[in-house]
Amino acid sequence: MSFPYSLDPNKEDNPYHPFPPESESLLSPSSAKVLHQKDGAREKGISKTTSLEDIEDEGSSSSFSHRKIAPINRYALAGAILASTNSVLLGYDIGVMSGAVLFIKEDMKITSTQVEILVGSLNVCSLIGSLASGKTSDWIGRRYTIILAAATFLIGAILMGLAPSYSILLVGRLIAGIGVGYSLMIAPVYVAELSPTLTRGFLTSLPEVFINIGILLGYISNYALSGLPETLNWRLMLGLAAVPAVVVAIGVLTMPESPRWLVMRGRRDEARKVLIKTSETKEEAELRLKEIVEAASFSLGGASSSSAWQGEGVWKEMIFRPSRQLRRILIAAIGVNFFMQASGNDAVVYYSPEVFRDAGIANRRQQVGVTVIMGLAKTSFVLISAFYLDKFGRRPLLLLGSIGMALSLAGLGLGSKYLQYSDEKPIWAIVLCVVAVCSAVSFFSIGLGPITWVYSSEIFPMKFRAQGSSLAISVNRLVSGVVSMTFLSISREISFGGTFFALSAIMVVGTVFFYFFLPETKGKSLEEIGTLFEDRVENDQYKLLLS
């Protein structure tokens, strides 16, 4: 089969190759004989045998993004941690609801359909928050959008904890969903815009790390409070989410604003101060600022020197008249978000006690206890992925994770099907199901979990980053809501085994999509990434500027 150049995975110098060479962000060694500086001040000869990682080009920002040692800037790390703490709220809700819903169902005497609506409504309603977050963050800034997200979730958590009826509980969950939608978009975008190039993958994956920490805390809360009366335990489980919301809202006040947002609003001096703090040297900060200003001027048509721009016209341009480059970016961003939720990960986490009960684990406390083991596995592997994301790149870990999920879900389907037709419930089949669930969520935490947020926040051009990410994450939330609200119903029709086989097939399709449509972005500045989605001719012209 032949592919167009931009989709040919067999070319080693192609960004779509699954394991691109370390030097892909510069010229390949065979063609890099002369490095032309952008300011035209001088030319520097490069031997074919010279290691590109050792090249120190004082006139190009590339020298700062290709050092062998990439120390994590403490100021950028602190900002990333504070922003990512917002993601604990979503993780805690996902984890705690999986156990709390067992007690809510008994206490309020609600049906399985009402349970599905309660669980899935947060994801559907988060669609509102994610759609609104792009425009809001372009208007009031990234930092205050994070505060808005935490405040909204706080109101929802209080209502859920004090809910006297199912309807009030549902209203609280809907409000919390709006806050979740805001936080899912804004945290990765803020961190990506704040981070230095070479550690952007690690820092931007922190929101997913904190989601998993939140899930684990939710599981622990389930286990610790499950012994209390059913009229009290689930209220404490849900109400405790208000605590991290208050911490986030206060902590964010100490964070800097995104330097790229400041540049788009014409506040270059403030952007320079932030960049100096998040760069290794003042010279690096100046070069980063120059690159950002040039990109903002090109993207906004010269409007970057004015504070009047508030994100106008972005949706119209994205939806009705996108360029070929922007269309490819949209396909990549929406695709990775679609498959993240079509994998069924959220549903597996939400309904894991139901899955374990179907597998033969009858004791409710044991069901909740096994979810703690699952949470530990998720958290451990997302940390591994975060630490190696900037070393191995996005594509290898994404492909590894999606292939692993496909195999794990197939194994889970096999074990579930065997137990469905077995009266004895053999231990090996139960163990297979438990191991397969833990394996599936672990491979998710290696690939789709962290990389979806990283990828969505870094591939859009500056003008489109916030609102483009909000569109992609809206798809994420919509698919998550649909899957969560239909998982039990579909499983009743075709069994848990049949559902897991279907999810496995979806991940096979997702792996093919990732292989052909997602280029590697490791080691490139946010301003350079857009060239990966250009046509071959345009890409060659860009390379000529460097040669």
Side-chain angles (χ1 to χ4, degrees), residues 134-150:
K135 179 69 173 179
T136 302
S137 64
D138 280 338
W139 179 34
I140 65 174
R142 315 312 195 210
R143 191 166 66 108
Y144 287 112
T145 303
I146 295 174
I147 296 175
L148 177 62

Side-chain angles (χ1 to χ4, degrees), residues 380-407:
S380 300
F381 280 95
V382 77
L383 285 170
I384 293 172
S385 178
F387 282 115
Y388 286 96
L389 197 53
D390 288 307
K391 179 177 181 179
F392 295 120
R394 285 55 159 162
R395 280 173 56 81
L397 292 179
L398 184 58
L399 292 171
L400 172 63
S402 58
I403 292 170
M405 280 197 74
L407 295 174

Side-chain angles (χ1 to χ4, degrees), residues 330-522:
L330 283 168
I331 290 172
I334 291 174
V336 71
N337 276 275
F338 171 83
F339 283 110
M340 178 188 189
Q341 297 303 340
S343 69
N345 177 78
D346 279 9
V348 170
V349 173
Y350 274 128
Y351 299 115
S352 54
E354 298 275 352
V355 175
F356 294 137
R357 183 175 63 187
D358 190 71
I361 302 175
N363 184 277
R364 186 174 294 175
R365 193 169 179 84
Q366 288 179 344
Q367 294 169 10
V368 175
V370 175
T371 62
V372 175
I373 298 174
M374 186 174 71
L376 286 169
K378 279 179 64 66
T379 305
S380 300
F381 280 95
V382 77
L383 285 170
I384 293 172
S385 178
F387 282 115
Y388 286 96
L389 197 53
D390 288 307
K391 179 177 181 179
F392 295 120
R394 285 55 159 162
R395 280 173 56 81
L397 292 179
L398 184 58
L399 292 171
L400 172 63
S402 58
I403 292 170
M405 280 197 74
L407 295 174
S408 300
L409 289 167
L412 181 56
L414 182 64
S416 297
K417 273 294 182 184
Y418 186 90
L419 289 168
Q420 180 184 351
Y421 295 105
S422 173
D423 295 329
E424 298 180 356
K425 304 289 184 183
I427 294 296
W428 70 263
I430 296 175
V431 171
L432 173 61
C433 288
V434 173
V435 171
V437 169
C438 293
S439 175
V441 298
S442 297
F443 276 113
F444 178 86
S445 293
I446 289 174
L448 274 168
I451 294 171
T452 298
W453 309 124
V454 174
Y455 213 80
S456 300
S457 62
E458 67 183 5
I459 63 175
F460 284 99
M462 189 183 304
K463 176 182 176 181
F464 301 97
R465 185 168 298 122
Q467 297 184 54
S469 296
S470 74
L471 175 62
I473 293 170
S474 297
V475 173
N476 181 301
R477 295 292 85 205
L478 178 61
V479 177
S480 178
V482 170
V483 172
S484 298
M485 295 177 74
T486 59
F487 183 80
L488 289 182
S489 298
I490 293 174
S491 297
R492 282 195 296 268
E493 294 296 324
I494 64 174
S495 77
F496 276 119
T499 302
F500 293 131
F501 279 132
L503 293 175
S504 177
I506 289 173
M507 287 315 303
V508 171
V509 176
T511 302
V512 174
F513 175 85
F514 303 147
Y515 189 82
F516 289 115
F517 290 95
L518 270 62
E520 181 58 70
T521 58
K522 180 190 70 171

Side-chain angles (χ1 to χ4, degrees), residues 146-443:
I146 295 174
I147 296 175
L148 177 62
T152 306
F153 193 92
L154 172 63
I155 296 171
I158 293 173
L159 282 176
M160 286 190 291
L162 300 177
S165 64
Y166 175 79
S167 58
I168 300 299
L169 178 62
L170 186 59
V171 169
R173 193 153 175 80
L174 293 175
I175 294 174
I178 296 175
V180 165
Y182 269 99
S183 65
L184 282 177
M185 190 290 296
I186 194 58
V189 167
Y190 171 83
V191 176
E193 293 188 338
L194 185 72
S195 304
T197 296
L198 207 56
T199 55
R200 188 180 62 246
F202 168 71
L203 295 177
T204 312
S205 66
L206 287 180
E208 178 66 16
V209 172
F210 278 78
I211 287 176
N212 281 274
I213 291 174
I215 291 174
L216 180 59
L217 290 175
Y219 288 155
I220 293 173
S221 176
N222 286 157
Y223 190 79
L225 301 175
S226 60
L228 297 176
E230 288 182 353
T231 57
L232 178 63
N233 55 14
W234 66 266
R235 295 182 184 277
L236 287 177
M237 293 174 187
L238 299 181
L240 284 174
V243 177
V246 173
V247 173
V248 170
I250 296 174
V252 169
L253 295 175
T254 65
M255 292 163 50
E257 184 51 89
S258 158
R260 287 171 171 84
W261 183 82
L262 291 170
V263 167
M264 287 193 293
R265 297 303 297 269
R267 295 155 62 177
R268 297 186 187 179
D269 289 339
E270 295 177 58
R272 179 181 288 106
K273 293 177 181 177
V274 176
L275 288 170
I276 288 174
K277 291 180 179 179
T278 58
S279 301
E280 293 303 305
T281 64
K282 187 174 181 180
E283 290 75 17
E284 178 186 351
E286 291 294 340
L287 286 168
R288 287 176 66 189
L289 178 62
K290 180 181 177 182
E291 190 176 43
I292 293 169
V293 169
E294 289 175 353
S297 180
F298 175 78
S299 184
L300 301 178
S304 62
S305 60
S306 170
S307 61
W309 188 79
Q310 295 181 354
E312 300 90 345
V314 172
W315 276 92
K316 182 178 179 180
E317 187 172 348
M318 279 196 306
I319 303 300
F320 297 107
R321 47 187 178 87
S323 63
R324 288 174 61 86
Q325 177 193 21
L326 182 57
R327 189 180 300 114
R328 290 173 177 174
I329 291 172
L330 283 168
I331 290 172
I334 291 174
V336 71
N337 276 275
F338 171 83
F339 283 110
M340 178 188 189
Q341 297 303 340
S343 69
N345 177 78
D346 279 9
V348 170
V349 173
Y350 274 128
Y351 299 115
S352 54
E354 298 275 352
V355 175
F356 294 137
R357 183 175 63 187
D358 190 71
I361 302 175
N363 184 277
R364 186 174 294 175
R365 193 169 179 84
Q366 288 179 344
Q367 294 169 10
V368 175
V370 175
T371 62
V372 175
I373 298 174
M374 186 174 71
L376 286 169
K378 279 179 64 66
T379 305
S380 300
F381 280 95
V382 77
L383 285 170
I384 293 172
S385 178
F387 282 115
Y388 286 96
L389 197 53
D390 288 307
K391 179 177 181 179
F392 295 120
R394 285 55 159 162
R395 280 173 56 81
L397 292 179
L398 184 58
L399 292 171
L400 172 63
S402 58
I403 292 170
M405 280 197 74
L407 295 174
S408 300
L409 289 167
L412 181 56
L414 182 64
S416 297
K417 273 294 182 184
Y418 186 90
L419 289 168
Q420 180 184 351
Y421 295 105
S422 173
D423 295 329
E424 298 180 356
K425 304 289 184 183
I427 294 296
W428 70 263
I430 296 175
V431 171
L432 173 61
C433 288
V434 173
V435 171
V437 169
C438 293
S439 175
V441 298
S442 297
F443 276 113

